[in-house]
């Protein structure tokens, strides 16, 4: 008999599904509205043509509504334009981030009480698994691939990515990947919906949410019988293929599509980091792919790659972390690139030590493959081997520190403008210092023996994943908002949002450091057993949950601001909304934007606006 699916989880998933259906409805409706209004669905005007208030006539509500709705769906499904694909990546990453964020808030809700009272243990295990996987593979990676697709060609002066159709293919592999990883929840909601009006279809209840953790450690991941695990492995494999295709495209674009006056020596900093990241992807993801296939074979075809009598669980850990550690740099290097790009613009000075930032990026790219076993200090591998891995792990802190000092030096004596993206950059650098220093602490073998698998680790990596990686996606969204939408967001609301986010991250993840130092293991659904000896734990969890709520409010504010501003924000009429010309930092993407505006203006004055 299959265990009953916990009700609260399915309810929240139900809500997500309803929202999805609503969105789909709105999309379809927009298509209809457009068809009716224009007599055919073929030629759809550019969104902002209708809403620009400089035309003299006041746009009606319906016109504005229509203009705010998405374009022709057929175009979005078939586009091979790098900017369109970039936008698709952004939309996908946003959906994934909100989904993974819901998981995080549910995790935190469970931890308000010491017992497993809100959701049950099984659900909790599924939540941290899907949260981790969704955030890493379906939020961060697509968000940065979107940045690469939209901006990299503009930066290197290319008309397109090297392989536009491969580009579209890489994107369209992602939605099915996400669905495979999270299928259990989706089919289950479907089953419940059908059950509400008719028969119960048992097959829809076959999949239980995966509860392996994002590291998929064997023997657990082999032993669990749930067929959802197999789907998840296939989904991850598919997403890996998508990521590699994207990376190949980026590498080839940088090599072959550069404008003649863009040389390796004057390649901009963001392109350098995206290029290096793609290089790491090229080596790391096929590694994960092979390991996933081996795991699938062990689960389904009786091979013994990772069984105790065969290769053993330690082999899995070696293979996994040989991918897994480079993966953390795949996530963080583009974020570093964004700091290096955006921070100088609002510090009023050019990036200090440009060359050293490039060298340190390349150094990190290489070294990232040499440190994997620092994740395995507690597994009983040879102590001499551990010492070697400790040495390399400490070495990789050096290039990271080089970057940090360069950012700080860039701000030194600068004319700092505390715009929202700048607040997020400064906050991000500060939080990264906390995350980085705690990482160095963990790289020390004796300390890691004590802190391994405690909340200290969760605190450490969230200062990085949330504190700098997610933070820089927000910063970039503000910085490029005028370019993406030709409108300005509400700057005051954005500043409030930025400060709230920094505060929220501190309040959420600092308590975890103390929990960890106090010995609280991670991945516990219930800590009731320890409450007699550690009465403080519950309060620390409360603080962290309050912090997560603050982050939730902040994210809502961001979403509200950007959605509203994309609809009715003040139109941007200059190619230089951030006054970058003043300090000689008017970069290529803004040049491109200025040209676009110019062309638009020409068309308007010669009366071709609506064509
Ligand atoms: C609102 C923000 C967030 C909150 C409140 C949050 C909270 C949590 C919590 C409580 C855990 C489980 C700890 C445990 O028991 O092991 C966790 C795990 C994790 N989180 Fe987050 N998180 C947030 C954002 C993020 C982001 C932005 C990322 C990645 C970009 C991320 C990646 C991960 C990963 C990889 C794990 C490990 C999952 C595992 O143990 O297998 N989180 N998070
Ligand atoms: Cu590592």
């Amino acid at each position: 008999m299959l265990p009953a699916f916990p009700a609260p989880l399915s309810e929240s998933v139900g809500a997500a599904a309803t929202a999805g259906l609503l969105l789909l409805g709105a999309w379809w409706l927009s298509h209809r509205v457009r068809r009716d209004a224009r007599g055919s669905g073929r030629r759809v005007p550019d969104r902002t043509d209708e809403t620009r208030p400089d035309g003299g006539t006041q746009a009606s509500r319906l016109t504005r509504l229509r203009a705010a709705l998405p374009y022709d769906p057929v175009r979005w499904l078939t586009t091979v334009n790098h900017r369109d694909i970039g936008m698709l990546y952004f939309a996908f990453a946003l959906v994934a981030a909100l989904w993974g964020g819901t998981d995080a808030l549910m995790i935190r809700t469970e931890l308000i009480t010491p017992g497993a009272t809100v959701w049950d243990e099984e659900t909790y295990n599924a939540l941290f698994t899907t949260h981790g996987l969704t955030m890493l593979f379906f939020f961060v990676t697509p968000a940065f691939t979107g940045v690469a697709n939209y901006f990299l060609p503009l930066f290197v002066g290319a008309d397109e990515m090297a392989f536009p159709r491969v580009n579209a293919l890489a994107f369209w592999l992602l939605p099915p990947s996400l669905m495979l990883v999270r299928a259990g929840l989706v089919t289950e909601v479907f089953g419940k919906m059908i059950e509400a009006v008719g028969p119960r279809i048992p097959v829809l209840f076959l999949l239980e949410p995966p509860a392996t953790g994002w590291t998929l450690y064997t023997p657990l991941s082999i032993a669990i019988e749930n067929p959802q695990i197999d789907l998840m492995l296939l989904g991850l494999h598919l997403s890996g293929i998508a990521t590699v295709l994207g990376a190949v495209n980026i590498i080839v674009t940088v090599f072959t599509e550069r404008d003649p006056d863009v040389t390796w020596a004057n390649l901009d900093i963001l392109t350098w980091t995206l290029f290096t990241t793609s290089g790491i992807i090229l080596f790391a993801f096929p590694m994960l792919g092979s390991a996933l296939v081996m795991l699938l074979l062990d689960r389904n075809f009786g091979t013994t790659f990772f069984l105790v009598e065969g290769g053993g669980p330690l082999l899995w850990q070696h293979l996994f972390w040989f991918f897994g550690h480079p993966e953390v740099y795949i996530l963080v290097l583009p974020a570093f690139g964004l700091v290096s790009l955006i921070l100088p613009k609002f510090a009023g000075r050019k990036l200090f030590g440009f060359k050293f930032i490039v060298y340190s990026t390349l150094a990190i790219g290489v070294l990232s493959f040499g440190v994997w076993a620092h994740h395995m200090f507690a597994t009983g591998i040879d102590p001499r081997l551990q010492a070697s891995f400790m040495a390399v792990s400490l070495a990789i802190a050096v290039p990271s520190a080089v970057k940090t000092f360069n950012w700080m030096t860039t701000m030194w004596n600068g004319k700092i403008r505390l715009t929202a993206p700048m607040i997020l950059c400064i906050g991000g650098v500060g939080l990264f210092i906390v995350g980085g220093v705690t990482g160095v602490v963990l790289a020390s073998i004796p300390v890691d023996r004590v802190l391994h698998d405690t909340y200290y680790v969760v605190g450490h990596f969230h200062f990085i994943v949330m504190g700098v990686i997610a933070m820089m996606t927000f910063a970039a969204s503000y910085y490029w908002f005028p370019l993406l939408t030709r409108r300005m967001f509400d700057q005051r609301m954005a500043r409030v949002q930025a400060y709230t986010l920094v505060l929220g991250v501190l309040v959420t993840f600092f308590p975890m450091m103390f929990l960890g130092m106090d010995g609280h293991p991670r991945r516990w659904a219930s800590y009731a057993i320890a409450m007699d000896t550690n009465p403080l734990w519950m309060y620390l969890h409360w603080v962290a949950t309050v912090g997560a709520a603050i982050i939730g409010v902040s994210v809502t504010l961001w979403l509200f601001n950007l959605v509203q501003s994309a609809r009715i924000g003040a139109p941007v009429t200059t190619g230089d909304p951030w006054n970058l010309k003043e300090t000689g930092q008017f970069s290529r993407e803004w040049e491109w934007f200025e040209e676009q505006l110019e062309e638009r203006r020409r068309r308007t004055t010669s009366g071709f606006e609506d064509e």
Side-chain angles (χ1 to χ4, degrees), residues 485-502:
T485 64
R486 266 177 255 125
R487 289 178 185 280
M488 198 43 153
F489 53 88
D490 181 333
Q491 299 225 42
R492 200 163 58 132
M493 198 193 289
R495 279 195 296 272
V496 172
Q497 189 268 330
Y499 284 120
T500 330
L501 194 62
V502 178

PDB file of all heavy atoms in Angstrom, residues 485-502:
ATOM      1  N   THR A 485      13.034  47.054 -20.437  1.00  0.00           N
ATOM      2  CA  THR A 485      11.619  47.431 -20.545  1.00  0.00           C
ATOM      3  C   THR A 485      11.399  48.848 -21.070  1.00  0.00           C
ATOM      4  O   THR A 485      10.267  49.245 -21.292  1.00  0.00           O
ATOM      5  CB  THR A 485      10.943  47.361 -19.159  1.00  0.00           C
ATOM      6  OG1 THR A 485      11.578  48.346 -18.324  1.00  0.00           O
ATOM      7  CG2 THR A 485      11.081  46.000 -18.540  1.00  0.00           C
ATOM      8  N   ARG A 486      12.462  49.615 -21.223  1.00  0.00           N
ATOM      9  CA  ARG A 486      12.373  51.026 -21.598  1.00  0.00           C
ATOM     10  C   ARG A 486      11.545  51.820 -20.594  1.00  0.00           C
ATOM     11  O   ARG A 486      10.935  52.827 -20.918  1.00  0.00           O
ATOM     12  CB  ARG A 486      11.810  51.179 -23.007  1.00  0.00           C
ATOM     13  CG  ARG A 486      12.928  51.271 -24.028  1.00  0.00           C
ATOM     14  CD  ARG A 486      12.395  51.360 -25.435  1.00  0.00           C
ATOM     15  NE  ARG A 486      12.556  50.104 -26.126  1.00  0.00           N
ATOM     16  CZ  ARG A 486      11.567  49.446 -26.700  1.00  0.00           C
ATOM     17  NH1 ARG A 486      10.350  49.918 -26.681  1.00  0.00           N
ATOM     18  NH2 ARG A 486      11.818  48.321 -27.308  1.00  0.00           N
ATOM     19  N   ARG A 487      11.500  51.327 -19.377  1.00  0.00           N
ATOM     20  CA  ARG A 487      10.839  52.058 -18.303  1.00  0.00           C
ATOM     21  C   ARG A 487      11.709  52.036 -17.065  1.00  0.00           C
ATOM     22  O   ARG A 487      12.580  51.182 -16.928  1.00  0.00           O
ATOM     23  CB  ARG A 487       9.483  51.433 -17.982  1.00  0.00           C
ATOM     24  CG  ARG A 487       8.471  51.661 -19.066  1.00  0.00           C
ATOM     25  CD  ARG A 487       7.175  50.986 -18.727  1.00  0.00           C
ATOM     26  NE  ARG A 487       6.248  51.114 -19.840  1.00  0.00           N
ATOM     27  CZ  ARG A 487       5.542  52.208 -20.078  1.00  0.00           C
ATOM     28  NH1 ARG A 487       5.614  53.240 -19.263  1.00  0.00           N
ATOM     29  NH2 ARG A 487       4.739  52.267 -21.121  1.00  0.00           N
ATOM     30  N   MET A 488      11.444  52.959 -16.134  1.00  0.00           N
ATOM     31  CA  MET A 488      12.208  52.992 -14.895  1.00  0.00           C
ATOM     32  C   MET A 488      11.349  52.432 -13.772  1.00  0.00           C
ATOM     33  O   MET A 488      10.139  52.619 -13.761  1.00  0.00           O
ATOM     34  CB  MET A 488      12.627  54.436 -14.589  1.00  0.00           C
ATOM     35  CG  MET A 488      13.752  54.538 -13.598  1.00  0.00           C
ATOM     36  SD  MET A 488      15.037  53.314 -13.926  1.00  0.00           S
ATOM     37  CE  MET A 488      16.475  54.040 -13.296  1.00  0.00           C
ATOM     38  N   PHE A 489      12.009  51.736 -12.839  1.00  0.00           N
ATOM     39  CA  PHE A 489      11.262  51.217 -11.674  1.00  0.00           C
ATOM     40  C   PHE A 489      11.194  52.300 -10.610  1.00  0.00           C
ATOM     41  O   PHE A 489      11.838  53.349 -10.721  1.00  0.00           O
ATOM     42  CB  PHE A 489      11.931  49.961 -11.146  1.00  0.00           C
ATOM     43  CG  PHE A 489      13.403  50.129 -10.863  1.00  0.00           C
ATOM     44  CD1 PHE A 489      13.838  50.576  -9.632  1.00  0.00           C
ATOM     45  CD2 PHE A 489      14.353  49.827 -11.836  1.00  0.00           C
ATOM     46  CE1 PHE A 489      15.190  50.750  -9.369  1.00  0.00           C
ATOM     47  CE2 PHE A 489      15.704  49.992 -11.585  1.00  0.00           C
ATOM     48  CZ  PHE A 489      16.125  50.451 -10.350  1.00  0.00           C
ATOM     49  N   ASP A 490      10.419  52.031  -9.572  1.00  0.00           N
ATOM     50  CA  ASP A 490      10.309  52.965  -8.456  1.00  0.00           C
ATOM     51  C   ASP A 490      11.571  52.842  -7.606  1.00  0.00           C
ATOM     52  O   ASP A 490      11.776  51.849  -6.907  1.00  0.00           O
ATOM     53  CB  ASP A 490       9.066  52.626  -7.626  1.00  0.00           C
ATOM     54  CG  ASP A 490       8.885  53.583  -6.465  1.00  0.00           C
ATOM     55  OD1 ASP A 490       9.895  54.143  -5.986  1.00  0.00           O
ATOM     56  OD2 ASP A 490       7.739  53.761  -6.024  1.00  0.00           O
ATOM     57  N   GLN A 491      12.422  53.853  -7.681  1.00  0.00           N
ATOM     58  CA  GLN A 491      13.752  53.728  -7.078  1.00  0.00           C
ATOM     59  C   GLN A 491      13.717  53.704  -5.562  1.00  0.00           C
ATOM     60  O   GLN A 491      14.529  53.045  -4.912  1.00  0.00           O
ATOM     61  CB  GLN A 491      14.634  54.878  -7.547  1.00  0.00           C
ATOM     62  CG  GLN A 491      14.815  54.866  -9.041  1.00  0.00           C
ATOM     63  CD  GLN A 491      16.251  55.100  -9.437  1.00  0.00           C
ATOM     64  OE1 GLN A 491      17.170  54.562  -8.831  1.00  0.00           O
ATOM     65  NE2 GLN A 491      16.448  55.917 -10.441  1.00  0.00           N
ATOM     66  N   ARG A 492      12.752  54.456  -4.984  1.00  0.00           N
ATOM     67  CA  ARG A 492      12.722  54.470  -3.523  1.00  0.00           C
ATOM     68  C   ARG A 492      12.286  53.102  -2.989  1.00  0.00           C
ATOM     69  O   ARG A 492      12.882  52.551  -2.073  1.00  0.00           O
ATOM     70  CB  ARG A 492      11.782  55.567  -3.025  1.00  0.00           C
ATOM     71  CG  ARG A 492      12.068  55.943  -1.594  1.00  0.00           C
ATOM     72  CD  ARG A 492      11.441  57.253  -1.267  1.00  0.00           C
ATOM     73  NE  ARG A 492       9.999  57.153  -1.498  1.00  0.00           N
ATOM     74  CZ  ARG A 492       9.087  57.567  -0.630  1.00  0.00           C
ATOM     75  NH1 ARG A 492       9.447  58.124   0.485  1.00  0.00           N
ATOM     76  NH2 ARG A 492       7.808  57.443  -0.898  1.00  0.00           N
ATOM     77  N   MET A 493      11.251  52.553  -3.616  1.00  0.00           N
ATOM     78  CA  MET A 493      10.784  51.234  -3.189  1.00  0.00           C
ATOM     79  C   MET A 493      11.911  50.213  -3.353  1.00  0.00           C
ATOM     80  O   MET A 493      12.099  49.324  -2.521  1.00  0.00           O
ATOM     81  CB  MET A 493       9.576  50.831  -4.027  1.00  0.00           C
ATOM     82  CG  MET A 493       8.757  49.718  -3.413  1.00  0.00           C
ATOM     83  SD  MET A 493       7.564  49.014  -4.561  1.00  0.00           S
ATOM     84  CE  MET A 493       6.383  50.314  -4.719  1.00  0.00           C
ATOM     85  N   ALA A 494      12.672  50.367  -4.422  1.00  0.00           N
ATOM     86  CA  ALA A 494      13.764  49.428  -4.683  1.00  0.00           C
ATOM     87  C   ALA A 494      14.840  49.535  -3.604  1.00  0.00           C
ATOM     88  O   ALA A 494      15.398  48.524  -3.167  1.00  0.00           O
ATOM     89  CB  ALA A 494      14.362  49.689  -6.055  1.00  0.00           C
ATOM     90  N   ARG A 495      15.124  50.768  -3.163  1.00  0.00           N
ATOM     91  CA  ARG A 495      16.138  50.910  -2.113  1.00  0.00           C
ATOM     92  C   ARG A 495      15.669  50.260  -0.821  1.00  0.00           C
ATOM     93  O   ARG A 495      16.426  49.545  -0.160  1.00  0.00           O
ATOM     94  CB  ARG A 495      16.462  52.392  -1.887  1.00  0.00           C
ATOM     95  CG  ARG A 495      17.445  52.937  -2.907  1.00  0.00           C
ATOM     96  CD  ARG A 495      18.035  54.264  -2.454  1.00  0.00           C
ATOM     97  NE  ARG A 495      17.005  55.298  -2.364  1.00  0.00           N
ATOM     98  CZ  ARG A 495      16.637  56.070  -3.388  1.00  0.00           C
ATOM     99  NH1 ARG A 495      17.219  55.933  -4.553  1.00  0.00           N
ATOM    100  NH2 ARG A 495      15.694  56.984  -3.227  1.00  0.00           N
ATOM    101  N   VAL A 496      14.386  50.494  -0.483  1.00  0.00           N
ATOM    102  CA  VAL A 496      13.829  49.848   0.709  1.00  0.00           C
ATOM    103  C   VAL A 496      13.948  48.335   0.567  1.00  0.00           C
ATOM    104  O   VAL A 496      14.385  47.624   1.477  1.00  0.00           O
ATOM    105  CB  VAL A 496      12.346  50.249   0.906  1.00  0.00           C
ATOM    106  CG1 VAL A 496      11.707  49.445   2.023  1.00  0.00           C
ATOM    107  CG2 VAL A 496      12.236  51.740   1.176  1.00  0.00           C
ATOM    108  N   GLN A 497      13.608  47.847  -0.618  1.00  0.00           N
ATOM    109  CA  GLN A 497      13.664  46.405  -0.853  1.00  0.00           C
ATOM    110  C   GLN A 497      15.094  45.882  -0.684  1.00  0.00           C
ATOM    111  O   GLN A 497      15.305  44.838  -0.066  1.00  0.00           O
ATOM    112  CB  GLN A 497      13.157  46.101  -2.271  1.00  0.00           C
ATOM    113  CG  GLN A 497      12.960  44.625  -2.572  1.00  0.00           C
ATOM    114  CD  GLN A 497      14.187  43.981  -3.187  1.00  0.00           C
ATOM    115  OE1 GLN A 497      14.972  44.635  -3.888  1.00  0.00           O
ATOM    116  NE2 GLN A 497      14.369  42.703  -2.930  1.00  0.00           N
ATOM    117  N   ALA A 498      16.062  46.618  -1.198  1.00  0.00           N
ATOM    118  CA  ALA A 498      17.447  46.155  -1.128  1.00  0.00           C
ATOM    119  C   ALA A 498      17.918  46.061   0.329  1.00  0.00           C
ATOM    120  O   ALA A 498      18.498  45.051   0.739  1.00  0.00           O
ATOM    121  CB  ALA A 498      18.356  47.091  -1.924  1.00  0.00           C
ATOM    122  N   TYR A 499      17.639  47.127   1.101  1.00  0.00           N
ATOM    123  CA  TYR A 499      18.037  47.072   2.515  1.00  0.00           C
ATOM    124  C   TYR A 499      17.331  45.924   3.242  1.00  0.00           C
ATOM    125  O   TYR A 499      17.935  45.201   4.032  1.00  0.00           O
ATOM    126  CB  TYR A 499      17.709  48.394   3.213  1.00  0.00           C
ATOM    127  CG  TYR A 499      18.660  49.518   2.882  1.00  0.00           C
ATOM    128  CD1 TYR A 499      18.214  50.687   2.290  1.00  0.00           C
ATOM    129  CD2 TYR A 499      20.026  49.402   3.171  1.00  0.00           C
ATOM    130  CE1 TYR A 499      19.087  51.726   1.975  1.00  0.00           C
ATOM    131  CE2 TYR A 499      20.904  50.431   2.864  1.00  0.00           C
ATOM    132  CZ  TYR A 499      20.430  51.592   2.269  1.00  0.00           C
ATOM    133  OH  TYR A 499      21.300  52.596   1.963  1.00  0.00           O
ATOM    134  N   THR A 500      16.044  45.753   2.953  1.00  0.00           N
ATOM    135  CA  THR A 500      15.298  44.687   3.629  1.00  0.00           C
ATOM    136  C   THR A 500      15.885  43.321   3.315  1.00  0.00           C
ATOM    137  O   THR A 500      15.943  42.446   4.166  1.00  0.00           O
ATOM    138  CB  THR A 500      13.830  44.684   3.166  1.00  0.00           C
ATOM    139  OG1 THR A 500      13.448  45.989   2.822  1.00  0.00           O
ATOM    140  CG2 THR A 500      12.924  44.156   4.239  1.00  0.00           C
ATOM    141  N   LEU A 501      16.322  43.164   2.068  1.00  0.00           N
ATOM    142  CA  LEU A 501      16.869  41.874   1.668  1.00  0.00           C
ATOM    143  C   LEU A 501      18.155  41.576   2.445  1.00  0.00           C
ATOM    144  O   LEU A 501      18.329  40.472   2.970  1.00  0.00           O
ATOM    145  CB  LEU A 501      17.141  41.869   0.166  1.00  0.00           C
ATOM    146  CG  LEU A 501      17.408  40.511  -0.456  1.00  0.00           C
ATOM    147  CD1 LEU A 501      16.195  39.617  -0.296  1.00  0.00           C
ATOM    148  CD2 LEU A 501      17.743  40.649  -1.932  1.00  0.00           C
ATOM    149  N   VAL A 502      19.044  42.574   2.526  1.00  0.00           N
ATOM    150  CA  VAL A 502      20.295  42.364   3.255  1.00  0.00           C
ATOM    151  C   VAL A 502      19.975  42.013   4.714  1.00  0.00           C
ATOM    152  O   VAL A 502      20.509  41.051   5.287  1.00  0.00           O
ATOM    153  CB  VAL A 502      21.192  43.620   3.189  1.00  0.00           C
ATOM    154  CG1 VAL A 502      22.461  43.410   3.994  1.00  0.00           C
ATOM    155  CG2 VAL A 502      21.535  43.944   1.739  1.00  0.00           C
TER     156      VAL A 502
END
